[in-house]
């Protein structure tokens, strides 16, 4: 069964460092998302991406965040200068098309710990 | 106020019990998802609903669009059902991007 894969599963980084979280969406999907879940809190939307551009972003997704689809398969989230409060589980998701009946498939998540 | 509310927040059941988790939402939606999150953190989609009822094995999900309410039922619960169950809605807005708005989740523990 096709799946969304994320790497690494766990990343520890020093405050102020840049991190890149990687995702390989399902191959024929067109819409890509990043979500974040701070420990003990609900999952929050960060950004959606379609046709090589951001289609929507939340107020969390400030200038220190960026997303990219550098080739035909990877979808990355970059955090330029990490802060302690960026520590969270980051989930990538993809869906085949835009429409009410579209299912989203989630990766297993990357646990980011900023120290 | 959260756009998606779940109840209860925590639920402990005995093996074999019938379980109901409720979700209410305040926005217009195009679809509602029930998701399962295990202790390792990964999220698995259980159901996507836009109307009526769906059944998969021991899981049943229903939605009432007029009342803005959905329920997830687990019949003959088993300890392996222990997880966090999350309700998430796809808001029906102009230029919808399919982003999901999540509830806070219901932590279910099924004891043998």
């Amino acid at each position: 069964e096709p799946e969304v894969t994320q790497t690494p599963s766990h990343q520890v980084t020093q405050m102020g460092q840049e991190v890149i979280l990687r995702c390989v969406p399902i191959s024929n999907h067109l819409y890509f998302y990043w979500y974040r879940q701070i420990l003990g809190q609900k999952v929050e939307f960060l950004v959606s991406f379609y046709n090589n551009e951001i289609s929507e972003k939340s107020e969390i997704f400030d200038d220190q965040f960026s997303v990219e689809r550098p080739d035909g398969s990877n979808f990355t989230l970059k955090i330029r200068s990490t802060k302690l409060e960026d520590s969270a589980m980051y989930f990538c998701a993809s869906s085949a098309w835009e429409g009410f009946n579209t299912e989203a498939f989630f990766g297993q998540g990357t646990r980011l710990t900023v120290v | 106020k959260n756009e998606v509310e779940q109840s209860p927040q925590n639920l402990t059941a005995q093996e074999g019990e019938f379980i109901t988790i409720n979700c209410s939402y305040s926005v217009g939606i195009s679809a509602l998802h029930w998701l399962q999150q295990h202790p390792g953190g990964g999220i698995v989609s259980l159901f996507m609903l836009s109307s009526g009822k769906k059944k998969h094995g021991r899981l049943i999900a229903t939605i009432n669009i007029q009342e803005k309410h959905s329920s997830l039922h687990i019949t003959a619960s088993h300890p392996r059902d222990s997880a966090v169950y999350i309700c998430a809605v796809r808001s029906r807005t102009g230029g919808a991007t399919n982003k999901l708005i999540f509830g806070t989740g219901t932590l279910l523990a099924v004891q043998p």
Side-chain angles (χ1 to χ4, degrees):
Chain A
E1 187 173 322
E3 59 180 15
V4 177
T5 56
Q6 289 185 242
T7 54
S9 56
H10 190 187
Q11 173 138 12
V12 181
T13 189
Q14 294 268 349
M15 191 169 55
Q17 294 295 304
E18 174 184 286
V19 295
I20 297 177
L21 310 184
R22 302 180 193 279
C23 170
V24 179
I26 293 172
S27 63
N28 62 343
H29 283 188
L30 300 176
Y31 293 83
F32 314 111
Y33 313 85
W34 284 101
Y35 291 87
R36 179 180 84 174
Q37 185 179 33
I38 294 170
L39 186 64
Q41 298 185 21
K42 64 180 180 179
V43 178
E44 303 170 288
F45 169 75
L46 288 178
V47 66
S48 59
F49 191 86
Y50 169 70
N51 200 27
N52 281 320
E53 61 182 22
I54 291 173
S55 44
E56 186 175 356
K57 59 183 181 179
S58 72
E59 61 275 9
I60 302 168
F61 194 88
D62 61 22
D63 290 345
Q64 70 161 344
F65 290 94
S66 62
V67 289
E68 196 177 35
R69 190 156 160 79
D71 51 41
S73 58
N74 289 285
F75 178 51
T76 61
L77 174 69
K78 183 192 290 186
I79 309 175
R80 238 177 298 280
S81 176
T82 50
K83 302 191 278 266
L84 294 177
E85 54 265 37
D86 294 327
S87 295
M89 190 76 138
Y90 289 81
F91 291 101
C92 173
S94 69
S95 60
W97 60 81
E98 180 177 80
F100 74 92
N101 210 22
T102 305
E103 189 164 358
F105 293 82
F106 286 83
Q108 289 298 300
T110 292
R111 184 171 299 283
L112 176 66
T113 303
V114 182
V115 297
Chain B
K1 186 183 184 301
N2 289 325
E3 293 162 298
V4 181
E5 298 272 6
Q6 285 185 237
S7 62
Q9 287 189 318
N10 294 281
L11 180 57
T12 300
Q14 292 299 121
E15 184 173 356
E17 283 185 8
F18 180 84
I19 287 162
T20 296
I21 300 170
N22 295 299
C23 175
S24 296
Y25 52 91
S26 57
V27 295
I29 69 166
S30 56
L32 182 144
H33 295 248
W34 281 103
L35 307 156
Q36 183 189 56
Q37 186 174 31
H38 277 283
I43 293 175
V44 174
S45 179
L46 298 174
F47 293 104
M48 182 182 64
L49 296 165
S50 53
S51 65
K53 176 178 172 178
K54 285 190 176 179
K55 184 176 190 294
H56 185 249
R58 295 181 294 106
L59 301 178
I60 302 166
T62 63
I63 188 168
N64 184 318
I65 296 291
Q66 286 74 31
E67 294 186 4
K68 295 188 173 179
H69 181 269
S70 175
S71 293
L72 176 69
H73 305 286
I74 305 175
T75 62
S77 59
H78 190 276
R80 65 174 173 267
D81 298 326
S82 299
V84 175
Y85 291 84
I86 304 171
C87 172
V89 301
R90 182 176 304 125
S91 173
R92 193 190 330 115
T93 58
T97 59
N98 287 335
K99 74 173 185 186
L100 294 176
I101 303 169
F102 287 74
T104 52
T106 294
L107 176 60
L108 171 66
V110 181
Q111 296 177 339

